[in-house]
């Protein structure tokens, strides 16, 4: 417990500048002359500049530019400019450095989110409270700011406890400190002589649904529910206990706004758009605030845990356990749907750029480890803006959907097709060759060109320009991803500049890498089986897709020792050189004449596609008997293993030649 006097006697409490105080007084008088408001603002050049900048932002969306404060104030209104002046003053109070910086940053971001949410909720209630709600949404946690500044150590331990125990902070504050930030906020409102309407709303902004329902006859009931709901939205976006916030938010929006749970997702997206616009006014970076879908997935996961814990704690009965399982399955199903939405483009139903970036990084690492090629195809619909302008955005959406469908259906299961942004699509091609990626890109180009897309019964020609690149990621991946994307993008623009509806291919694979890669392909067990006509290509391809990935891949040095191509001493020397030069093991071995290119290719083929793993898969698919598989592997190893001159003898031979 702490003495409230410790807060009120602190010299760190947030204060308002003279301009903000005078504007608050003027806003209370309905007969205030607009010129007096303008003169008051102009007394503070810093606030004048910020209000003028804000008036020209996308947040207010005024039709014409305001070049002076004399024009901005009448257009925005006294209440709005008062809100902005007060907001800019408070934002400075929330800027700090030191160990509590993240807490102050979080407080200010949550305040902006709450103000945007309160404004949108007010619009649902009829707009009368729109600007009051924006200001009050910003002020509702002013008590939290006051406590951060006056009793930081005491408050920090309470906030950490609330997060750990998954309880509302206001509840833990009351229990541990004897006072909570809502009560401190009301006191701050009294000090600043703000209206009783504001004080009442702040007093109840963490009330439960039942407590709020008991206030239905209160004259300020609409404002009270707006601020309480915006507080839950702020907690949902910013609190680590998003599950608790989601549960309360669903109850509030269902009870007071007749909002089904499914509609809540869409509303939260509107809030995100609005608070990102508001953040620009206050120069706050909101990049670390996750999307509603991502938060919803985490919140549902927390709710699963909370539901199970609460139910198991109260009863061990089978019937109750069945209810828990049902709730768990329902929430997990919803969670999967949300995760799917987070990685899919809502218009074309293909994967989105976020999914591409994540998988591109994984594939680069995998290809770097295995010295395998990776390819990217960029596709951009030709003259898409003209299509939109001529036939309308609905037709443009149809074109995007049809192109996405054609491309999705023509790519392999091992490739990843995504909408990259706007009218641009990207395909990450697995294990490509230069000719193979050219054929794929050309096939896509023709399919798009031949797709029949009609507007009012008449076919509209639609084409695309494509650019592709093939590369083998080096051991050090620094800058490689950016280079690969840039090369594919430039190849695509080369297609556009040369007349559109074309394909241009680039390769950043060196000649040595190309030769080695061809040798590796020839050495693979799957290729050998096809060459010997044991299986055809479709059958062996299906078997390869079924092959389980090894938990731990054999190192090429270990394979070389096992195959008696290198000694342990040779491997140690190559590893030392590898650390110095940053190259792959095989590159060093070839450069230093420890291995021939053929030997290296053979070892890499064994590493990438272990014959025993493929053999077991063929047995499990009932395509081979165990004895057949063993005999084929033995024959493959005998035929494909390059001349295994002992490493020392090989080097002596080279030295004497």
């Amino acid at each position: 417990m702490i003495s409230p006097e410790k807060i009120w006697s602190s010299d760190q409490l947030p204060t308002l500048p003279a301009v903000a105080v005078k504007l608050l007084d003027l806003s209370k008088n309905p007969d205030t002359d607009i010129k007096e408001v303008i003169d008051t603002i102009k007394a503070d050049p810093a606030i004048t500049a910020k209000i003028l900048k804000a008036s020209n932002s996308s947040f207010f969306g005024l039709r014409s530019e305001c070049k002076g404060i004399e024009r901005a104030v009448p257009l925005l209104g006294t209440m709005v400019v008062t809100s902005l002046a007060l907001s800019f003053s408070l934002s400075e109070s929330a800027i700090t450095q030191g160990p509590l910086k993240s807490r102050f940053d979080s407080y200010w971001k949550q305040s902006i989110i709450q103000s945007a949410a309160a404004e949108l909720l007010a619009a649902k209630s009829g707009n009368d409270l729109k600007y009051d709600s924006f200001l009050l949404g910003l002020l509702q946690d002013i008590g939290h700011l006051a406590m951060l500044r006056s009793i930081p150590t005491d408050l920090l331990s309470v906030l950490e406890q609330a997060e750990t125990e998954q309880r509302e902070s206001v509840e833990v504050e009351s229990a541990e400190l004897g006072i909570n930030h809502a009560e401190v906020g009301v006191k701050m409102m009294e000090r600043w002589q703000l209206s009783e309407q504001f004080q009442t709303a702040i007093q109840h902004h963490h009330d439960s649904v039942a407590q709020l329902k008991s206030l239905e006859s209160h004259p300020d009931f609409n404002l009270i529910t707006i601020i309480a709901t915006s507080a839950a939205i702020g907690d949902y976006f910013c609190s680590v206990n998003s599950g608790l916030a989601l549960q309360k938010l669903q109850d509030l929006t269902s009870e007071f706004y007749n909002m089904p749970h499914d509609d809540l997702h869409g509303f939260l997206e509107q809030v995100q758009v609005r608070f990102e616009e508001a953040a620009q006014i206050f120069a706050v970076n909101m990049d670390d605030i996750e999307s509603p879908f991502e938060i919803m997935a985490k919140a549902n996961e927390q709710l699963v845990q909370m539901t199970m814990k609460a139910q198991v704690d109260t009863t061990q009965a089978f019937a109750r356990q069945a209810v828990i399982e049902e709730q768990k399955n329902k929430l997990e199903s919803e969670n999967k749907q949300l995760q799917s939405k987070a990685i899919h483009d809502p218009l074309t139903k293909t994967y989105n750029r976020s999914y591409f970036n994540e998988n591109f990084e994984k594939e680069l690492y995998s290809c770097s480890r295995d010295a395998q090629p990776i390819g990217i195809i960029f596709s951009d619909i030709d003259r898409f803006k003209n299509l939109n302008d001529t036939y309308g955005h609905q037709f443009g959406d149809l074109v995007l959907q049809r192109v996405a469908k054609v491309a999705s259906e023509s790519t392999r299961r091992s490739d990843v097709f995504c909408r990259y942004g706007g009218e641009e699509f990207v395909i990450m091609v697995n294990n490509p060759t230069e000719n193979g990626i050219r054929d794929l890109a050309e096939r896509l180009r023709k399919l798009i060109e031949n797709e029949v897309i009609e507007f009012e019964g008449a076919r509209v020609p639609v084409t695309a320009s494509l650019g592709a690149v093939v590369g083998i990621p080096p051991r050090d991946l620094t800058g490689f991803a950016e280079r690969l994307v840039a090369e594919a993008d430039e190849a695509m623009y080369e297609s556009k500049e040369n007349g559109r509806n074309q394909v241009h291919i680039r390769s950043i694979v060196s000649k040595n890498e190309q030769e080695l890669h061809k040798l590796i392909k020839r050495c693979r067990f799957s290729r050998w089986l096809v060459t010997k006509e044991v299986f055809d290509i479709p059958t062996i391809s299906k078997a390869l897709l079924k092959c389980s990935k090894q938990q731990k891949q054999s190192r090429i040095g270990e394979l070389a020792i096992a195959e008696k191509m290198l000694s342990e001493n040779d491997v140690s020397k190559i590893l030392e050189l590898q650390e110095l030069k940053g190259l792959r093991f095989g590159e060093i071995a070839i450069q230093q004449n420890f291995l021939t290119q053929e030997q290296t290719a053979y070892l890499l083929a064994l590493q990438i596609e272990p014959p025993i793993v493929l053999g077991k898969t063929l047995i499990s698919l009932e395509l081979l008997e165990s004895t057949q598989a063993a005999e084929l592997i033995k024959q493959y190893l005998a035929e494909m293993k390059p001349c295994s001159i002992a490493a020392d003898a090989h080097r002596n031979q080279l030295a004497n030649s």
Side-chain angles (χ1 to χ4, degrees):
M1 297 288 176
I2 66 159
S3 168
E5 194 55 35
K6 186 176 180 181
I7 298 174
W8 312 130
S9 61
S10 172
D11 60 357
Q12 296 298 313
L13 288 177
T15 56
L16 296 179
V19 169
V21 172
K22 188 169 181 182
L23 284 172
L24 282 170
D25 288 336
L26 292 172
S27 67
K28 295 173 190 175
N29 184 0
D31 298 323
T32 296
D33 189 339
I34 197 79
K35 186 178 183 305
E36 192 173 357
V37 174
I38 293 169
D39 290 341
T40 302
I41 294 169
K42 288 170 73 173
D44 189 325
I47 287 182
T48 301
K50 289 177 180 178
I51 290 175
L52 191 57
K53 184 180 178 182
S55 69
N56 290 310
S57 70
S58 61
F59 185 80
F60 291 105
L62 298 178
R63 291 185 179 179
S64 58
E65 183 183 356
C66 292
K67 295 184 177 179
I69 198 69
E70 292 83 0
R71 176 169 171 74
V73 173
L75 285 174
L76 296 177
T78 303
M79 195 62 204
V80 175
V81 294
T82 302
S83 299
L84 286 173
L86 191 57
S87 303
F88 291 130
S89 304
L90 291 175
S91 69
E92 293 176 1
S93 296
I95 296 172
T96 189
Q97 298 296 326
L100 287 175
K101 183 181 187 306
S102 63
R103 293 287 179 179
F104 278 90
D105 289 348
S106 179
Y107 153 79
W108 186 236
K109 288 175 185 177
Q110 184 160 344
S111 296
I112 292 172
I113 291 169
Q114 287 167 170
S115 64
E119 181 197 44
L120 289 174
L121 288 166
K124 281 184 171 292
S125 301
N127 267 337
D128 291 341
L129 298 170
K130 183 176 178 181
Y131 297 117
D132 277 348
S133 297
F134 179 83
L135 177 57
L136 195 45
L138 203 71
L139 291 174
Q140 63 180 283
D141 281 331
I142 190 66
H144 188 86
L145 177 60
M147 293 170 80
L148 272 174
R149 296 188 72 87
S150 59
I151 52 166
T153 306
D154 301 285
L155 182 62
L156 186 59
S157 63
V158 167
L159 294 176
E160 289 172 348
Q161 182 181 339
E163 291 167 358
T164 303
E165 295 175 0
Q166 293 192 343
R167 294 162 62 193
E168 287 202 41
S169 61
V170 71
E171 176 188 341
V172 184
E173 287 164 10
S174 295
E176 299 298 321
L177 303 177
I179 191 169
N180 61 57
H181 70 267
E183 294 166 342
V184 175
V186 172
K187 189 75 173 178
M188 294 296 294
M189 295 295 98
E190 291 176 1
R191 285 189 164 204
W192 291 347
Q193 297 181 353
L194 291 179
S195 68
E196 288 187 15
Q197 183 187 41
F198 278 29
Q199 295 174 34
T200 303
I202 287 181
Q203 181 185 347
H204 296 287
H205 78 283
H206 284 299
D207 279 7
S208 65
V209 172
Q211 289 170 322
L212 291 169
K213 285 179 72 176
S214 69
L215 299 171
E216 283 181 348
S217 60
H218 195 285
D220 298 319
F221 179 71
N222 278 349
L223 186 60
I224 292 169
T225 55
I226 286 169
I227 300 308
T229 308
S230 70
I233 292 172
D235 285 338
Y236 173 79
F237 277 100
C238 298
S239 169
V240 295
N241 296 329
S242 55
L244 194 67
L246 173 60
Q247 200 168 47
K248 184 171 184 180
L249 182 55
Q250 288 174 335
D251 292 342
L252 287 164
T253 51
S254 175
E255 179 66 34
F256 300 118
Y257 297 94
N258 296 318
M259 191 184 294
H261 291 179
D262 288 344
D263 291 352
L264 179 58
H265 302 319
F267 180 70
L268 290 172
E269 287 184 316
Q270 293 176 34
V271 171
Q272 185 181 28
V273 170
R274 196 61 174 153
F275 75 60
E276 286 175 350
E277 289 174 341
Q280 292 177 11
I281 296 176
F282 301 111
V284 175
N285 187 339
M286 291 287 201
D287 287 351
D288 59 338
I289 303 294
E290 294 179 304
S291 73
F293 283 124
E294 291 169 323
I295 299 171
M296 193 74 73
K298 291 180 182 178
N300 280 331
E301 191 175 333
Q302 285 185 7
L303 285 175
V304 170
Q305 296 169 357
M306 289 165 62
T307 303
M308 292 187 70
K309 183 178 183 301
Q311 296 286 359
V312 171
D313 285 348
T314 55
T315 179
Q316 294 295 319
F318 177 78
R320 287 294 185 94
Q321 193 62 37
V323 172
I324 294 169
E325 287 302 318
E326 185 181 349
Q327 290 175 335
K328 177 187 173 187
N329 291 338
K330 182 181 176 183
L331 288 167
E332 285 179 345
S333 174
E334 187 178 353
N335 192 27
K336 285 179 182 177
Q337 290 175 7
L338 290 165
Q339 287 175 335
S340 176
K341 287 180 180 179
I343 61 173
H344 284 89
D345 172 52
L347 176 65
T348 61
K349 310 305 178 189
T350 60
Y351 290 121
N352 59 21
R353 184 169 180 170
S354 174
Y355 182 84
F356 170 79
N357 289 339
E358 183 180 340
N359 280 266
F360 185 39
E361 185 178 344
K362 290 178 184 175
E363 191 65 18
L364 281 172
Y365 176 78
S366 175
C367 291
S368 171
R369 182 190 61 207
D370 298 340
Q372 290 295 293
I374 185 172
I376 294 178
I377 300 174
F378 270 119
S379 168
D380 189 270
I381 298 172
D382 294 328
R383 297 186 174 91
F384 184 72
K385 185 178 183 301
N386 288 348
L387 292 175
N388 265 335
D389 293 344
T390 305
Y391 303 104
H393 288 281
Q394 282 189 332
F395 181 78
D397 288 348
L398 174 65
V399 169
L400 291 171
Q401 290 169 333
R402 294 285 287 276
V403 168
K405 185 174 184 293
V406 166
S408 295
E409 291 174 351
S410 63
T411 51
R412 302 173 300 175
R413 285 171 56 192
S414 57
D415 299 334
V416 178
F417 176 77
C418 306
R419 184 180 179 189
Y420 200 69
E423 65 271 23
E424 198 169 50
F425 296 92
V426 63
I427 305 172
M428 185 170 65
V429 185
N430 176 264
N431 199 18
T433 62
E434 189 173 341
N435 288 335
I437 204 168
R438 177 181 283 105
D439 291 344
L440 173 58
E442 185 59 33
R443 185 168 75 250
L444 286 173
R445 185 198 66 75
K446 287 179 180 177
L447 285 168
I448 294 168
E449 182 182 29
N450 294 333
E451 181 71 1
V452 177
I453 305 175
E454 296 182 342
F455 181 81
E456 296 181 352
R459 184 183 178 187
V460 178
V462 174
T463 61
S465 298
L466 294 90
V469 65
V470 177
I472 296 178
R475 188 166 179 258
D476 181 3
L477 285 169
T478 305
F480 185 80
E482 292 79 3
R483 183 187 173 192
L484 206 65
V485 170
E487 292 281 355
D489 198 46
E490 286 173 16
M492 181 186 72
Y493 277 100
E494 193 175 346
S495 295
K496 284 195 171 294
E497 288 168 0
N498 281 282
R500 299 182 175 84
N501 192 23
Q502 296 180 15
V503 170
H504 279 79
I505 308 297
R506 295 187 179 190
S507 173
I508 55 174
V509 182
S510 68
K511 187 176 180 182
N512 288 340
E513 285 177 322
Q514 287 176 348
E515 290 175 2
L516 182 61
H517 188 63
K518 286 177 185 175
L519 286 172
I520 294 169
K521 281 202 165 186
R522 281 188 213 142
C523 291
R524 289 171 73 153
F525 185 39
S526 57
R527 176 73 173 266
W528 184 85
L529 288 169
V530 172
T531 305
K532 294 293 180 182
E533 298 183 351
V534 179
F535 296 107
D536 58 19
I537 290 174
T539 303
I540 206 70
S541 297
K542 288 177 184 176
L544 286 170
L545 287 172
K546 296 284 184 182
C547 275
S548 58
K549 284 274 186 184
Q550 288 178 293
Q551 294 259 329
K552 186 179 178 183
Q553 194 177 52
S554 299
R555 293 179 179 275
I556 188 171
E558 294 168 353
L559 289 170
I561 293 170
E563 293 289 320
K564 295 186 169 45
M565 291 181 178
L566 292 177
S567 67
E568 290 187 8
N569 187 46
D570 292 331
V571 171
S572 297
K573 287 179 181 177
I574 294 170
L575 291 173
E576 287 175 10
L577 289 168
Q578 190 179 19
E579 284 300 313
L580 288 172
K581 297 191 174 186
L583 299 175
R584 289 198 180 91
F585 185 97
E587 290 178 280
I588 298 289
I590 294 170
Q591 284 180 7
Q592 300 297 319
N593 296 322
F594 283 95
L595 293 171
T596 65
Q597 195 174 45
E598 290 76 13
Q599 288 173 321
T600 304
Y602 170 72
L603 293 171
L604 286 168
L606 294 182
Q607 182 190 51
I608 295 163
E609 187 183 284
I612 292 174
V613 174
L614 180 53
K616 286 181 178 178
T617 303
L618 292 166
I619 293 167
S620 70
L621 294 172
E622 299 181 352
L623 295 170
L624 284 178
E625 297 289 336
S626 298
T627 52
Q628 284 179 292
E631 184 57 36
L632 286 167
I633 291 171
K634 183 179 177 182
Q635 188 181 343
Y636 157 77
L637 292 172
E639 288 186 18
M640 295 305 296
K641 184 174 180 178
C643 178
S644 54
I645 303 171
D648 290 338
H650 176 62
R651 284 194 297 281
N652 290 336
Q653 189 182 65
L654 286 168
N656 295 326
S657 62

